[in-house]
Amino acid sequence: MGGLPAGKVERGGLDETHDYSEWERRVDALAVLMGALKVTVDERRKNIEALPPEDYDRMSYYERWIVSLAQALLQRGVVTTEELARKMIEVEKRVQRRGSS
C-alpha cells in the first residue's frame, strides 16, 4: 500500500487454493457483470485505494471489492445512497433471522 513494504502478496480471485464463501463468489460475479457497465479494474482499484488505511487494513479482499463496486454504482447514479442503505438494512435483517433460527 502506497509503496510501503507489505510482505508476501496474497493472490485474489477465484481459484482452487481457497475455499470461497458464497458471498465472495457473488461479489466476484458482480464485478464481472459490472464490466458490462464499463466499470474497469482501474476504477475499482481507485475506489479501493481511496479507502482510509484503517478501513483498508480491517477489510478482507472481497469486502474491499464490494465497497469499491458500491462506490462505482453510487458515482454513476445507478443507485442512490438511500436505496443502498435500505438494501443493507434488509440484508442485515435477513442475516439476523437466519442466525436466530
Side-chain angles (χ1 to χ4, degrees), residues 67 70 74 81-95:
V67 167
L74 290 165
T81 304
E82 294 78 17
E83 290 169 325
L84 183 58
R86 276 194 307 272
K87 191 61 165 179
M88 289 173 70
I89 291 167
E90 177 187 317
V91 169
E92 180 63 27
K93 287 178 181 176
R94 193 167 53 225
V95 169

Side-chain angles (χ1 to χ4, degrees), residues 13-88:
L14 298 178
D15 59 33
E16 296 176 14
T17 62
H18 177 76
D19 185 22
Y20 293 92
S21 65
E22 188 61 30
W23 80 269
E24 289 172 318
R25 291 180 187 278
R26 289 179 180 179
V27 171
D28 195 84
L30 182 60
V32 171
L33 292 171
M34 286 181 64
L37 294 175
K38 306 292 187 233
V39 175
T40 65
V41 171
D42 292 333
E43 186 175 358
R44 292 192 332 240
R45 184 179 300 122
K46 175 187 70 80
N47 289 335
I48 290 170
E49 291 173 356
L51 290 168
E54 59 276 5
D55 291 343
Y56 182 95
D57 289 340
R58 177 180 49 79
M59 291 179 182
S60 71
Y61 182 81
Y62 282 104
E63 286 172 332
R64 292 182 209 124
W65 271 37
I66 197 64
V67 167
S68 176
L69 294 170
Q71 283 298 317
L73 291 171
L74 290 165
Q75 291 162 355
R76 291 163 179 260
V78 176
V79 297
T80 66
T81 304
E82 294 78 17
E83 290 169 325
L84 183 58
R86 276 194 307 272
K87 191 61 165 179
M88 289 173 70

